[in-house]
Amino acid sequence: MAAVLRFVNRSTFGSRMGHQCLSLSCSAAVAKSVQVGASAGKALPERVKIVEVGPRDGLQNEKTLVPAEIKIHLIDMLSEAGLPVIEATSFVSPKWVPQMADQVEVMKGINRRPGVSYPVLTPNLKGFQAAVKAGAAEVAIFGAASELFSKKNINCSVDESLQRFEEVTKAAKEAGVRVRGYVSCVLGCPYEGQVSPDKVAQVAKRLYSMGCYEISLGDTIGVGTPGGMTEMLEAVRREVPVDALAVHCHDTYGQALANILIALQMGISVVDSSVAGLGGCPYAQGASGNVATEDVVYMLHGLGIQTGVDLPKLMDAGAFICSSLNRKTSSKVAQATCKL
Amino acid sequence: MGNIPTTVKHCLSYEQLIQDYPWLGSRLQEEKRTLTREYPEYVKIIEVGPRDGLQNEKEMVPTGVKIQLINMLSETGLPVIEATSFVSSKWVPQMADHTEVLQAIHRSSHARYPVLTPNMHGFRDAVAAGATEVAVFGSASETFSRKNINCSIDASMLRLEEVICAAKQQQIPVRGYVSCALGCPYEGPIEPTKVTEVVKRLYELGCYEVSLGDTTGVGTPGSMAKMLHCVMKEVPSSALAVHCHDTYGQALANILTALQCPGLEKGTECEGRKQPALRDSELICCLAVALSDSAALKRHGENYPIIGPHETHGKWRRRKKPVQTSNYVTETGRMQ
């Protein structure tokens, strides 16, 4: 830009810079009167619900095994930061996902804040029963929009997996437990490549009609772009009400925030993200995975959209888990405000 | 979808609806076409890696490597590649080899190679070295201007006027930059009206295009939209570009917002030829975004030569093995 961009050290900026930048994003004056994307029907939601998946989706993809107390402390810090939904753990076999072996201990150890949900993943009836026994009040199930991915990941076809989940949703209904559905590979599959938006819509509709109150559409390998996201959402919202949809964008190709913005413009108001961008991509060595909650919140606040999240507290939680994992944060906002 | 009640819409499947109400199908196709026509058909990418990118890198990059980088970038089809900067080597040692670089690069017939010229001295050197396009920069923030180039915005504009006049006389096109368009590290938020003032001045002085720079990457789609709406009231959108930094991870979302701005439907022509249309709604990962974010490069750490982006993704990727070049700077800093 300029001929000389002086490198400013921390003593000049101090924390003032960080807070100044955070306050830039929080300025309510910025966005209320401005519609981002001026065509008709592109008004953004006033409020967005953030579903924090760091403790589950994030940690399960981290190589370092994290002790239960650290997980509990992380979840407690995230509750304090104002996140309305925090995916706490996963009731899968520890043989497959050793990171989640302490599922019961974590569920029982967390300090549940009133008004906050703590869903847990339950891939089958056995997991569901164990989850309810451990005190879960909400569970999550996942289907895939790709046959090959389903076979390779959970060893059965999409139809068979949906039948399995029907057992879970029936049992959940009887127990008065809410169920959230996930669909993986909505914008591409590491094995099949392109995935048809109609297939995504079919799977989403089945999960919705089974009784899932919300369906999270996951760009599992982060290959999606705003073009693909638009097409896919158009197909899905014909079959499932937009209020029941969420997006779970991976940042593997750096497209997550742009994809989330498109989703917001199309009426979606629930976004999944992971503190510090925890969880790399198991399909692309060394690449990033989940989009960082801090970066999403920064964007939403800059748009004047309410989230209920306290960004500095969220960043503290991110810093805590990164130091426990001995890894650098994947959040650009965290890097920007800490690096100087 | 017309008068069909929402509840009915969601009970029936889409296929069933189309079967029962064939007129719906064509109506929905029209809606789809309208939705996908929101973006410009063509987006011109200004590759600033060799100048703006490298000048912010601590490691001194040998001239041979810079030349190779620019040549490789020319091969990718990029229409504009900012080659170097004619500033004093005392301030920007990385650009000390400006003349050598400009004279040695292979200039592709489809591309342009602007160079930065902060003042008349730099402009004369650039022309003597064979520059056919130059770039100048102003700031939307008074404090940033004073701290960075030691003078006020007004004083800098007078300096630039000299350069632009001289360039006009020699029929050399001039591109303008405005820094701190979405926020300043010293002043904080910058009023869009202030940005508009500076952009308008550069445009009226004779810059064919003005690039709006989010210098510290603090902007979000909200502030980008607000700023663009203001600027576009005074300067035609065909003369505007965005230069987004990814420091807070917001760059692609900000670029998307800029693309969605009304009035940006037409792309620019390059050398009198319309470039082939991009696929609908496809975004290109700007190398400028990747390279300007020095944090991203620092993550990659090791002594790997800066050769170029991973072709298929545009996002910075590290090669698995270091590439051997004949005169790459070693870890000790000495040229081999």
Side-chain angles (χ1 to χ4, degrees), chain A residues 1-8 12-13 16-18 20-22 24-25 29-31 33-39 42 194 198 202 205 208 225-228 230-231 234 237-242 251-255 257-259 261-262 265-266 284-288 294-296 298-303 328-330 332-333 335-337 339, chain B residues 1 9-15 28 32 35-36 38-39 51-52 55-56 58 87 91-92 116 118 137 144 147-150 177-179 182-189 213 215-223 225-226 229 243 245-250 252-253 256-257 260 262 279-283 285 293-296 298-299 313 315 317:
Chain A
M1 300 292 298
V4 177
L5 195 68
R6 289 188 197 149
F7 183 78
V8 187
T12 313
F13 279 179
R16 184 185 64 82
M17 165 71 163
Q20 195 172 64
C21 291
L22 294 184
L24 273 174
S25 99
V30 169
S33 57
V34 176
Q35 284 204 6
V36 173
S39 340
K42 271 210 173 134
Q194 282 198 330
D198 290 329
Q202 256 174 51
K205 190 180 162 87
Y208 183 65
T225 63
T230 305
E231 252 187 80
E234 270 170 19
R237 47 176 207 183
R238 282 184 212 129
E239 305 290 350
V240 180
V242 75
D251 205 35
T252 322
Y253 289 78
Q255 307 296 301
L257 283 197
N259 290 341
L261 183 61
I262 289 286
Q265 290 172 348
M266 292 185 76
Q285 200 75 11
S288 57
E294 298 93 316
D295 299 358
V296 174
Y298 185 89
M299 179 177 80
L300 295 176
H301 288 184
L303 283 163
K328 284 193 185 149
T329 179
S330 299
K332 290 256 170 109
V333 170
Q335 286 172 26
T337 46
K339 72 176 177 192
Chain B
M1 271 168 70
K9 259 192 276 176
H10 293 297
C11 290
L12 304 174
S13 78
Y14 176 63
E15 288 81 23
L28 290 170
K32 187 173 179 175
L35 275 167
T36 52
E38 303 155 353
Y39 299 100
R51 197 279 305 167
D52 191 22
Q55 89 178 16
N56 286 311
K58 282 193 193 139
V87 293
W91 295 116
V92 189
L116 214 68
F137 54 91
F144 188 85
K147 294 232 178 203
N148 221 36
I149 51 172
N150 242 340
Y177 279 101
V178 177
S179 340
L182 294 178
C184 169
Y186 309 102
E187 290 184 17
T215 308
T216 48
V218 291
T220 61
S223 52
K226 197 175 179 207
H229 277 108
H243 181 117
H245 278 207
D246 204 36
T247 322
Y248 288 76
Q250 308 295 303
L252 284 198
L256 182 62
T257 301
Q260 289 177 339
R279 277 176 50 205
D280 280 345
S281 312
E282 276 296 324
L283 274 189
C285 299
D293 179 6
S294 52
K298 276 172 189 142
R299 261 207 299 280
H313 307 303
K315 193 173 155 87
R317 289 266 185 189

Side-chain angles (χ1 to χ4, degrees), chain A residues 32 44-48 304-307:
Chain A
K32 275 250 162 82
L44 298 175
E46 277 189 20
R47 196 175 177 91
V48 163
I305 294 173
Q306 291 172 33
T307 60

